[in-house]
Amino acid sequence: MGELFQGDLDLGRLAAERLRDEAKPALIWVEELHYGAVAVVQRIQELGVDSMILVGAVRGTRAPGTVHRRLVRPPELGTQELQAAIGDAVTGYVGINLIIEVATGLRALPRRTVVVEVEPEHAGPGEGLTKTASAGLDRAVDLVRTELRRTPLLDLAEDLREMTSDTERLDPSRALTTMTDLLAELELLEREGRWGRGFALRDRLRLAIAAGEVSEGMEHRDWGLWWAMIEEMDRLEALEAVVTTAAGED
């Protein structure tokens, strides 16, 4: 999301340009959003996506160039607040927080929405970014790529939470307890962007399965999703180790 020719506020457009190669037909859309918030929300409705990452410069109180990632919780808007947001939107104004408010009011906010925002140094007419915003853009793009890598795992976790909550079907077991703990840890990953004990719990889950300490009532779909979770975490651990090593060498 960007404001054209407004200095550092144009950062979102530049992020979209860098991320074009991440697009995958029918799976990942990368779009530049610089038009009015109502039109942006209508576009979100057209796409019908489950997950969305909004990237842009947002004026706040942090040091210029600071990058902040946050998982969006739909704001609770009263009638007057919603009307005010839509009033701002129909004038053609666009901004990340305004898009979130309008999308919430129109029930168009995707189930998982993440914001990656950079504190601007210069927010006024002009082309190009300041040095601090340019450095922030690099970090923001890396964060978006991290979010894209992790999305399949978080989708799996969502499916597994529903399945493992069926205590009438699945008997208590060491494996089920560990899976429940792992899913709680992945909520931390989704909320704060950090792994915590995730990989240690994956290893504990693998050991519990190998020891046969699993629940009665497990079905083929359960086993398929459990192993898919373990394999996806294996894949991510290897990928993120490579990314971390490469970043350390730069």
Side-chain angles (χ1 to χ4, degrees):
M1 197 288 300
E3 297 183 37
L4 298 179
F5 309 117
Q6 292 296 308
D8 291 345
L9 298 183
D10 199 20
L11 182 143
R13 178 182 65 84
L14 300 174
E17 288 181 358
R18 290 205 195 175
L19 291 163
R20 294 288 181 204
D21 291 343
E22 304 292 336
K24 296 179 182 178
L27 289 175
I28 299 173
W29 286 266
V30 177
E31 300 209 6
E32 176 193 340
L33 307 174
H34 62 266
Y35 37 90
V38 170
V40 169
V41 172
Q42 289 173 338
R43 178 58 178 155
I44 293 169
Q45 290 175 313
E46 289 175 6
L47 293 172
V49 294
D50 291 326
S51 300
M52 177 172 68
I53 306 169
L54 293 171
V55 189
V58 177
R59 284 171 283 195
T61 59
R62 299 182 178 90
T66 300
V67 180
H68 179 64
R69 175 235 185 241
R70 59 186 168 100
L71 178 68
V72 174
R73 298 300 183 193
E76 295 182 3
L77 300 176
T79 302
Q80 290 184 336
E81 292 170 312
L82 177 58
Q83 289 175 343
I86 293 177
D88 287 339
V90 297
T91 64
Y93 178 69
V94 66
I96 286 178
N97 291 329
L98 182 59
I99 289 171
I100 291 169
E101 290 175 357
V102 174
T104 299
L106 298 179
R107 298 183 179 180
L109 191 71
R111 178 172 55 85
R112 182 185 302 117
T113 298
V114 171
V115 170
V116 177
E117 54 194 19
V118 179
E119 185 77 28
E121 180 176 341
H122 171 64
E127 294 186 49
L129 303 180
T130 60
K131 288 184 178 180
T132 55
S134 183
L137 172 61
D138 291 340
R139 294 192 295 274
V141 168
D142 287 343
L143 266 179
V144 172
R145 291 188 173 121
T146 297
E147 292 293 327
L148 292 175
R149 280 197 306 271
R150 294 174 177 177
T151 294
L153 175 66
L154 296 175
D155 288 342
L156 270 172
E158 189 71 23
D159 291 339
L160 279 163
R161 284 188 191 97
E162 182 177 348
M163 294 177 67
T164 56
S165 64
D166 188 355
T167 54
E168 293 184 2
R169 183 173 65 86
L170 298 177
D171 292 337
S173 69
R174 179 186 168 201
L176 181 59
T177 298
T178 305
M179 174 60 84
T180 302
D181 291 343
L182 175 55
L183 293 174
E185 203 68 19
L186 292 179
E187 286 185 359
L188 175 70
L189 176 67
E190 184 173 30
R191 187 173 63 252
E192 300 182 10
R194 57 188 179 89
W195 281 104
R197 300 182 300 142
F199 293 121
L201 287 167
R202 173 212 53 194
D203 294 340
R204 191 182 303 171
L205 176 62
R206 184 183 271 124
L207 288 173
I209 293 173
E213 298 174 335
V214 297
S215 300
E216 292 291 334
M218 291 278 287
E219 299 174 353
H220 290 301
R221 186 165 185 265
D222 295 307
W223 285 113
L225 288 177
W226 282 42
W227 280 114
M229 166 77 76
I230 291 171
E231 290 170 359
E232 184 62 19
M233 291 190 70
D234 290 346
R235 183 186 73 88
L236 282 173
E237 184 178 33
L239 277 175
E240 299 204 0
V242 170
V243 170
T244 301
T245 300
E249 293 174 351
D250 289 343

